[in-house]
Amino acid sequence: MAILRMKSPATTDTTLARICDAIRTRRRFLITSHQRPDGDSIGSQLAMAFALDALGKDVRLVNADPAPDHYLEFPGVDRIRIARTLDDRHIDAVIVMESGDLARTGVSGLEGFFTINIDHHQGNTSYGALNWLDESAAACGELVFELIRSLGVPLTLDIATHIYLAILTDTGSFHHSNITPRTFDICRQAVEAGVNPAAMARRVFDSNSFGKLKLIGALLDEMDLMDEGRLAVMYLNDEILAATGTTANDTEGLINLPLTAREIQAVVFFKAAADGEIRVSMRSKYDVDVRTVASRHGGGGHKNAAGFSVPGPLDAVRGGIIRELTEAIALGLQSRP
Ligand code: AMP
Ligand code: MN
């Protein structure tokens, strides 16, 4: 049987060893992640928290925003305190998941602690005392898995559940282009530890409210097709939410729907917030690179999933963003497999 090379190169081994040492020699940990957390943030944070529990550490979790509703019943999610300011100074180390810089956490007061920075996005600013950055990981949860194994913590069902959650969601349910043998090897171990993939998929993707189904209908009804059907443009505003009895939380995952049409190569979802800011989320297929578009506007992400925020109004920014996406589609289609 071929032996899978699970880990990345020697630099990773050294960083990993240093992070293990830093964890073993410290007692009180705070784990945080980016604002508007997703399945990878929640999964990475809680897998790490359960592993630190197993090592007898004191663990606290804080996020700027609550987890989307369908994650609330996952083990330990109620341990995450929602706060935008950290008032607790009795911390030996902060572990930050998935955040290119400290500002992306949306939590102030994190500066000045011994910080372990774990991320798989491009453009991370290496703000930690220890920085483990691996863009080849399909989810931050892959890195957390390696760390937990290196710490010698057994893969309990709670830990495995969160690692699987991180991977299932951050790969867009195994659709994105950064999936490797490592991804499946970790999932295999999670399933061996008791994770039920069918139940996980149902819990994460099939837990919609009726309101959310109506929201899907309304969003698709108002969707624009541009670039000869290659680009789908969706809009969210308070009126659609009110008409369907939903909240912005219910929009999670909906951006992926248009990509199920064969012709559509990229989707942009404009969400108007109360403060006049516009959240721009993008998804794409194959080599259509939406991260480049996001990084031009001060955001980030991955080739097939990226986002940023801009001041409105929508009419002032929409045209330029659509032009950039049309160019990204043309470039990406040149190397279509
Ligand atoms: P979203 O569309 O919000 O689900 O984000 C898709 C991907 O882009 C995720 O990996 C996010 O972490 C990343 N992303 C979204 N917004 C930003 C931002 N403002 N800065 C950096 N990365 C972002
Ligand atoms: Mn991620």
Side-chain angles (χ1 to χ4, degrees):
M1 193 177 86
I3 294 174
L4 284 176
R5 174 144 180 86
M6 287 275 298
K7 276 199 280 181
S8 357
T11 44
T12 292
D13 291 346
T14 319
T15 308
L16 197 50
R18 288 202 186 120
I19 294 177
C20 288
D21 280 348
I23 288 175
R24 287 196 190 98
T25 54
R26 286 173 175 77
R27 196 172 66 79
R28 292 168 303 191
F29 293 86
L30 179 93
I31 310 174
T32 187
S33 185
H34 57 77
Q35 47 195 318
R36 289 184 299 273
D38 57 17
D40 193 18
S41 334
I42 300 293
S44 296
Q45 283 181 277
L46 280 161
M48 194 71 230
F50 283 117
L52 293 176
D53 290 345
L55 293 171
K57 307 293 183 183
D58 177 320
V59 188
R60 277 157 255 190
L61 298 118
V62 69
N63 280 344
D65 299 303
D69 287 350
H70 52 285
Y71 298 138
L72 296 181
E73 284 169 19
F74 277 85
V77 175
D78 54 353
R79 294 171 61 176
I80 305 175
R81 198 163 76 83
I82 309 305
R84 292 199 161 250
T85 314
L86 183 72
D87 38 29
D88 189 353
R89 305 309 291 175
H90 302 287
I91 293 163
D92 302 323
V94 174
I95 303 178
V96 188
M97 306 289 184
E98 287 242 283
S99 301
D101 53 38
L102 276 182
R104 179 122 171 81
T105 62
V107 178
S108 65
L110 291 171
E111 301 76 12
F113 292 105
F114 182 90
T115 298
I116 301 172
N117 166 15
I118 304 176
D119 192 12
H120 70 133
H121 294 89
Q122 266 182 38
N124 188 293
T125 57
S126 295
Y127 51 86
L130 292 168
N131 302 285
W132 187 16
L133 311 174
D134 181 353
E135 289 164 23
S136 74
C140 191
E142 286 192 4
L143 306 178
V144 172
F145 175 87
E146 280 190 36
L147 174 55
I148 289 172
R149 297 311 258 176
S150 301
L151 285 165
V153 174
L155 193 61
T156 60
L157 180 57
D158 281 346
I159 293 176
T161 296
H162 280 290
I163 296 289
Y164 192 90
L165 173 67
I167 292 175
L168 177 66
T169 55
D170 236 39
T171 58
S173 59
F174 303 102
H175 279 61
H176 295 165
S177 55
N178 51 2
I179 299 165
T180 63
R182 166 169 74 173
T183 315
F184 287 105
D185 197 56
I186 295 170
C187 289
R188 174 184 62 75
Q189 294 182 61
V191 173
E192 278 173 2
V195 169
N196 176 339
M200 289 290 285
R202 295 285 177 205
R203 280 175 84 178
V204 174
F205 302 112
D206 298 347
S207 57
N208 291 336
S209 61
F210 288 123
K212 185 160 174 178
L213 286 185
K214 285 191 196 153
L215 177 65
I216 291 171
L219 288 174
L220 293 182
D221 211 35
E222 294 196 12
M223 177 175 85
D224 285 330
L225 288 176
M226 315 198 78
D227 192 22
E228 294 170 21
R230 288 185 284 259
L231 176 65
V233 187
M234 296 206 295
Y235 307 94
L236 183 78
N237 51 45
D238 288 344
E239 290 81 68
I240 296 182
L241 293 177
T244 53
T246 52
T247 68
N249 239 338
D250 290 307
T251 61
E252 235 238 359
L254 300 191
I255 187 175
N256 294 306
L257 288 172
L259 286 185
T260 60
R262 190 176 10 187
E263 293 79 3
I264 294 178
Q265 306 299 319
V267 186
V268 59
F269 192 1
F270 293 106
K271 302 177 201 172
D275 58 6
E277 282 272 307
I278 301 184
R279 275 275 318 141
V280 185
S281 285
M282 299 171 294
R283 298 291 185 273
S284 64
K285 285 176 181 163
Y286 299 107
D287 277 338
V288 175
D289 181 358
V290 290
R291 194 197 70 86
T292 313
V293 177
S295 57
R296 260 185 238 131
H297 296 272
H302 311 276
K303 184 168 72 179
N304 296 140
F308 62 96
S309 293
V310 275
L314 179 60
D315 284 343
V317 294
R318 180 176 42 195
I321 295 168
I322 286 171
R323 228 177 355 262
E324 288 178 47
L325 280 165
T326 306
E327 281 161 21
I329 289 170
L331 266 177
L333 284 179
Q334 286 171 10
S335 50
R336 171 96 185 233

